[in-house]
Amino acid sequence: MSVFDQLVDQQQVIKVLKDAVLAASDSDNFGQQMTHAWLFTGPAGSGRSNAAIAFAAALVCPKGGCNKCAECLSAISGSHADVELIKTEGLSIKIDEVRDLISRASWAPSVANYRVVVIEDADRLTEAAANALLKVIEEPGARTVWLLCAPTLSDVLATIRSRCRHLGLRTPSTKAVAKLLMERDLISEELATFAAQASQGHIGVAKYLATDNQVRQDRLTTLKIPLMITDISSAYKAAQLLVDTAKARAEADAEVRDGAEIEKLKQAWGSTGSKLAAGGSKAVKELEKEQKTRSTRLVRDYLDRALLDLATLYRDVMLVQAGVSESLINSDLKTEITKMADQIAESKTLLKIQVILKARTNLAHNAAPLLTIEALMCELRR
């Protein structure tokens, strides 16, 4: 057993990390295999944050990542005293958060040989926050290791990535993801293969598809949207449907978490009936603000996933138009895809994929979701 066993189809990355863990125990080899700053990149679902967390666990584990001891388990869960796990559920990581993080990272390790900081969404650092982080990476502490995660190298400030050792993860194969679902989550082979294929190797999405029927129904609704667009009016209705579906999923997630978080915070502030200790009301308002920001990001994340599904639909249309139908991602909609392939000119199919990807970029730049999707649906109508 090893903490690296959770990484799917990433053999080369695992070898590099295991070599680094061995070197970390030998100060003479520290500068060769091991360094104080790492940058993990890879497409969504490749497991870049899982790789960083596994590496952090191995660095604080006396046995190099056994995945059994208290150090490993607490590091993976985010409760280890010497492992800082920074996850942002908002749209960005601001400078105040980074300053607090830098202050804590300067402390000496309390129980392990290293103090490890994992920033899961380094691409969401504001410019000021990235510059503040750069200063500490340029002059790292002797026992502090920084692990940054981002989709691509270009998503991180050039001066930061030049001071990090880069590890690129690849999209796991469909076969590897299906095998993981069958072995870890006891999913049937048919459903696991479908989920792995439909998710395009995204491990998290594959699990949701395989274990939640509502997620599968939402995906099917999204993929059938192009079939309902016949004029401007139907294009606007399709856009509203897509945004409403994303909002409904975000609200469902929020309903489960928000109330419990607020109740827990009130208890921490000594809630007695309707009264809170001094400062408690302010803390609750700040949490509510964070929850609203998280909900906004969730809506954008769900819309982004829906747009990716739409892109795969038109990708399948292109394959059918080219006379290749054996490797469709959405094979469950082969009849609809074949019909679309007959109705759409081949020259326009690629243009439709391009406008979908443009809409994804606009959403990532905080464009208004409904206006963005409305413009997209009008483009898809042509």
Side-chain angles (χ1 to χ4, degrees), residues 228-268:
M228 65 181 283
I229 303 175
T230 56
D231 52 25
I232 290 292
S233 176
S234 59
Y236 280 102
K237 288 180 181 178
Q240 190 68 59
L241 173 62
L242 198 59
V243 173
D244 287 347
T245 300
K247 287 182 177 179
R249 290 185 62 185
E251 288 172 2
D253 285 353
E255 187 178 354
V256 174
R257 301 174 61 180
D258 291 0
E261 287 177 346
I262 290 176
E263 185 60 32
K264 186 176 180 180
L265 182 62
K266 287 182 176 180
Q267 291 177 2

Side-chain angles (χ1 to χ4, degrees), residues 86-97:
I86 308 303
K87 297 180 179 180
T88 179
E89 294 180 320
L91 299 176
S92 62
I93 303 175
K94 297 178 174 59
I95 188 169
D96 290 341
E97 299 174 70

Side-chain angles (χ1 to χ4, degrees), residues 53 76 85-89 93 97 118-121 297:
I53 293 170
I76 292 172
L85 181 55
I86 308 303
K87 297 180 179 180
T88 179
E89 294 180 320
I93 303 175
E97 299 174 70
V118 181
I119 302 181
E120 285 199 359
D121 298 289
R297 178 181 169 182

Side-chain angles (χ1 to χ4, degrees), residues 204-249:
V205 172
K207 181 179 178 180
Y208 283 124
L209 281 170
T211 58
D212 192 327
N213 183 59
Q214 185 58 51
V215 174
R216 295 197 292 274
Q217 290 301 318
D218 287 343
R219 168 187 167 273
L220 197 57
T221 299
T222 297
L223 291 173
K224 288 187 175 181
I225 279 178
L227 300 175
M228 65 181 283
I229 303 175
T230 56
D231 52 25
I232 290 292
S233 176
S234 59
Y236 280 102
K237 288 180 181 178
Q240 190 68 59
L241 173 62
L242 198 59
V243 173
D244 287 347
T245 300
K247 287 182 177 179
R249 290 185 62 185

